[in-house]
Amino acid sequence: MRSLVSALLLGAMMMLTGTATAQQFERVGDVQIHYSAVATSFLPEAVARDHQIQRNPALALLNVSVLEKREDGTTRSVPARVDGRVGGVGEHADDSPLSFRTLRIGDTPSQVAVFRIDDGAPMRFDLEVYHDRNGEPAHVQFIQRFYIDR
């Protein structure tokens, strides 16, 4: 029962993430690399607790998942390794490594990393997504601005 509640809450988290930042994805061959980031203070307390994610207005969560297109046109989640960095925009912007871990709800794996928000400043994300162990990683880059909710 607890895992069902956790799965439902994580689904709600992803819906919240989608409304807060507009779920985004990049298509690479037959896979879609979905990514979204949201301040951890938006996560329901139960979700944060069950997945050991610290809720803090100055922290955000990046979630990356990979969907593979099947022959019948449907998609399925596939495991992937993600490496990445986050930093400011501009010449003197310092990058920090992102530390990803696997979060699995049922058969659905995703990679999550928590990072510190630079209040009001655009933040650049550079990701390498290893979705095919025999291939080169897909490169995903995006910029997003966060505000600390006080």
Side-chain angles (χ1 to χ4, degrees):
M1 180 65 174
R2 183 178 173 137
S3 65
L4 175 61
V5 170
S6 182
L8 291 172
L9 289 173
L10 184 63
M13 175 185 86
M14 295 313 298
M15 290 169 76
L16 176 62
T17 300
T19 59
T21 64
Q23 174 97 13
Q24 301 166 336
F25 73 92
E26 289 196 19
R27 202 176 303 274
V28 178
D30 288 339
V31 300
Q32 295 176 3
I33 300 169
H34 289 256
Y35 54 94
S36 58
V38 64
T40 60
S41 58
F42 286 118
L43 300 176
E45 287 183 33
V47 171
R49 182 181 56 251
D50 287 350
H51 298 289
Q52 293 133 16
I53 300 168
Q54 180 184 358
R55 293 177 77 237
N56 182 318
L59 296 177
L61 174 78
L62 173 61
N63 185 315
V64 180
S65 59
V66 177
L67 299 177
E68 182 178 67
K69 188 174 181 180
R70 296 178 175 178
E71 289 181 15
D72 65 1
T74 62
T75 58
R76 69 177 181 101
S77 295
V78 295
R81 189 181 102 224
V82 180
D83 293 333
R85 301 186 70 76
V86 62
V89 175
E91 289 181 26
H92 304 291
D94 290 331
D95 285 352
S96 298
L98 291 164
S99 179
F100 284 92
R101 67 181 172 96
T102 301
L103 191 144
R104 183 177 290 277
I105 302 295
D107 293 334
T108 306
S110 63
Q111 297 294 313
V112 297
V114 175
F115 59 93
R116 184 158 298 284
I117 293 172
D118 189 0
D119 189 28
M123 298 183 75
R124 186 188 73 254
F125 297 83
D126 295 305
L127 308 176
E128 291 185 344
V129 182
Y130 296 84
H131 58 88
D132 177 355
R133 74 170 107 175
N134 297 319
E136 292 294 315
H139 298 282
V140 176
Q141 296 179 324
F142 66 98
I143 295 174
Q144 185 169 327
R145 189 180 305 259
F146 298 87
Y147 296 94
I148 296 175
D149 188 23
R150 301 179 199 272

